Amino acid sequence: MNKFNIENLDLFYGQNQALKKINLPIPNRQVTALIGPSGCGKSTLLRCLNRMNDLIEGVTIKGLLTIDDENVYGNIDVAQLRIKVGMVFQKPNPFPMSIYENVAYGLRAQGVKDKKTLDTIVEQSLRGAALWDEVKDRLKSHAFGLSGGQQQRLCIARTIAMKPEVILMDEPTSALDPIATKKIEDLMETLKKEFTIVIVTHSMQQARRISDRTAFFLMGELVEHNETQNIFNNPTDDRTRGYVNGDFG
């Protein structure tokens, strides 16, 4: 079953066409990796999934993009869409407040006031992000005191707390060291049991390690998408073969 279906999607920044006739199913509760050279359109497509491109002036989108068969660009509550489709960015961006309040912030904004409820969800979310054991004794400490990898997992916990169905990740480990990167990758393997995950990554090794399906983009076009092992071991397009073999970047 697919969480998203993308059909003949075009995206323009003014007169510049950034995405060209994209057709891509994104399965439910799997990790789908978007790969390709810089500027190929993969992050642009990622931002289409929760309408983050709405925030950019002069963007025009044509085609059909659905989530659970509902038109993302139709008569939909965008605020609710962005709760349903959470996002983790390239650099960790914790709020300038305590670890606890980072996770509780969105819940409070949604009107959750009961402390017992907040405590429970904060703990569950931190556990879900594999961070609880590291921070349970310093929840009142400032989030900026965490390491980069811990901050990124805190951002994942903050996303989980809102009970999304999808987590978008835009190069979530590019600013992290190898040890922190492995923790995030291990976490994704656990998270996909409950969430649909779409990740943009420049690392082909990472895509190969953590994704179930991979889509390769080049100059705004979706060249090929398939199960990850097929993309890397038996690509059908010469451009894909050249990219995964490192012939161009």
Side-chain angles (χ1 to χ4, degrees), residues 175-191:
L176 304 181
D177 61 52
I179 294 174
T181 294
K182 186 177 187 309
K183 288 184 177 181
I184 298 290
E185 291 181 356
D186 290 345
L187 178 57
M188 279 189 266
E189 185 67 28
T190 301
L191 290 175

Side-chain angles (χ1 to χ4, degrees), residues 160-188:
I160 291 173
M162 301 304 293
K163 300 189 183 305
E165 297 176 16
V166 181
I167 301 177
L168 308 180
M169 297 186 172
D170 194 357
E171 297 189 63
T173 63
S174 64
L176 304 181
D177 61 52
I179 294 174
T181 294
K182 186 177 187 309
K183 288 184 177 181
I184 298 290
E185 291 181 356
D186 290 345
L187 178 57
M188 279 189 266

Side-chain angles (χ1 to χ4, degrees), residues 32-80:
T32 298
L34 311 182
I35 65 170
S38 296
C40 68
K42 54 191 185 294
S43 290
T44 297
L45 181 66
L46 191 77
R47 291 193 297 268
C48 288
L49 300 179
N50 65 348
R51 291 187 52 169
M52 289 294 285
N53 286 314
D54 288 12
L55 305 175
I56 302 173
E57 188 174 351
V59 169
T60 303
I61 296 174
K62 301 177 181 178
L64 181 64
L65 195 167
T66 61
I67 179 170
D68 298 328
D69 296 323
E70 182 176 12
N71 187 355
V72 169
Y73 286 88
N75 185 21
I76 195 170
D77 185 323
V78 177
Q80 289 301 312

